[in-house]
Amino acid sequence: NAGVTQTPKFRVLKTGQSMTLLCAQDMNHEYMYWYRQDPGMGLRLIHYSVGEGTTAKGEVPDGYNVSRLKKQNFLLGLESAAPSQTSVYFCASADFSYEQYFGPGTRLTVT
Amino acid sequence: AQSVAQPEDQVNVAEGNPLTVKCTYSVSGNPYLFWYVQYPNRGLQFLLKYITGDNLVKGSYGFEAEFNKSQTSFHLKKPSALVSDSALYFCAVRDRPHSGGYLKVTFGIGTKLQVIP
């Protein structure tokens, strides 16, 4: 049982490049989330999903898109990366207890 | 709107001493409350939660938290700190569902706990 996995673990992008972060969970959870973590700002919710085929905006959705075509996967896309998107990105999943299980994170640097 | 405050950026405690990490919250109804821990270069791990019932909640690694409705607080405690408890601790809150629909979880900004040998 792997829990929540994230791919890749590290990435360096140039401004304007695009990329997709993949999150996968094997716990059959309905809810999935993407957060970013920045020093002094804690965790901020980017987008979330309450089930397969659904997505919704969180606190800081601008510059990001998401898709949840399969229940176990939640993809975060950056269409045109900016230095302000340099951050550590965490994916999480939860069942109806709202106890969230987090992935190990992706450290993204945009130069 | 719901919110969480962790008033201390850092808490230092000597190994073997009791520790407290503070959290206060604001929600429109009755809260679900959570504590998570983050070790360096790792994702957050669930420690404990309060949903209903006994105000003292016991969780992983010997941690416990006390729900105080009148003070809107949910402080994390441990009777005897270990050096291995040194980490970043996050409090989180969500409103209790009263009419269905999704309600998101709001996290605090985190408190760094340093246990000194």
Side-chain angles (χ1 to χ4, degrees):
Chain A
N1 196 348
V4 179
T5 58
Q6 291 183 232
T7 310
K9 289 185 168 48
F10 303 93
R11 186 74 186 267
V12 178
L13 287 179
K14 295 186 188 304
T15 297
Q17 288 184 321
S18 63
M19 77 165 293
T20 299
L21 282 68
L22 171 63
C23 176
Q25 54 99 358
D26 61 3
M27 295 172 282
N28 202 35
H29 286 166
E30 291 294 332
Y31 303 139
M32 295 189 75
Y33 313 80
W34 276 108
Y35 294 92
R36 58 178 291 173
Q37 184 178 30
D38 303 290
M41 305 193 75
L43 284 175
R44 292 184 291 169
L45 182 64
I46 303 171
H47 286 280
Y48 64 94
S49 168
V50 300
E52 181 179 317
T54 74
T55 63
K57 294 180 180 180
E59 303 170 63
V60 290
D62 294 342
Y64 304 95
N65 57 75
V66 288
S67 65
R68 190 154 178 217
L69 300 178
K70 293 183 179 181
K71 187 176 183 179
Q72 64 267 35
N73 295 338
F74 195 30
L75 278 61
L76 178 71
L78 285 72
E79 290 185 345
S80 179
S84 61
Q85 294 177 305
T86 293
S87 187
V88 181
Y89 292 86
F90 288 100
C91 176
S93 70
D95 59 16
F96 297 107
S97 73
Y98 288 90
E99 197 176 300
Q100 295 189 32
Y101 293 81
F102 285 79
T106 295
R107 190 172 296 273
L108 175 66
T109 302
V110 183
T111 61
Chain B
Q2 63 194 37
S3 64
V4 176
Q6 294 183 242
E8 301 153 317
D9 289 337
Q10 182 159 333
V11 171
N12 297 321
V13 63
E15 186 176 23
N17 282 3
L19 69 88
T20 299
V21 183
K22 295 179 180 177
C23 171
T24 59
Y25 66 90
S26 173
V27 295
S28 58
N30 292 314
Y32 288 1
L33 293 156
F34 306 84
W35 275 103
Y36 289 83
V37 60
Q38 184 181 29
Y39 297 101
N41 300 312
R42 303 284 296 275
L44 279 69
Q45 295 177 33
F46 171 80
L47 270 181
L48 51 81
K49 67 182 177 187
Y50 170 82
I51 303 297
T52 187
D54 194 347
N55 289 344
L56 185 64
V57 178
K58 294 191 184 296
S60 305
Y61 312 121
F63 284 93
E64 57 189 27
E66 186 168 11
F67 171 62
N68 187 318
K69 187 172 182 178
S70 63
Q71 297 186 3
T72 62
S73 67
F74 190 56
H75 300 332
L76 182 70
K77 300 181 180 184
K78 187 174 182 181
S80 179
L82 300 172
V83 173
S84 57
D85 292 331
S86 298
L88 192 56
Y89 290 82
F90 290 92
C91 182
V93 67
R94 59 147 287 181
D95 208 344
R96 189 184 299 272
H98 45 77
S99 59
Y102 174 77
L103 296 170
K104 74 177 179 71
V105 175
T106 299
F107 285 82
I109 64 170
T111 298
K112 183 177 181 180
L113 174 66
Q114 189 74 38
V115 181
I116 302 159

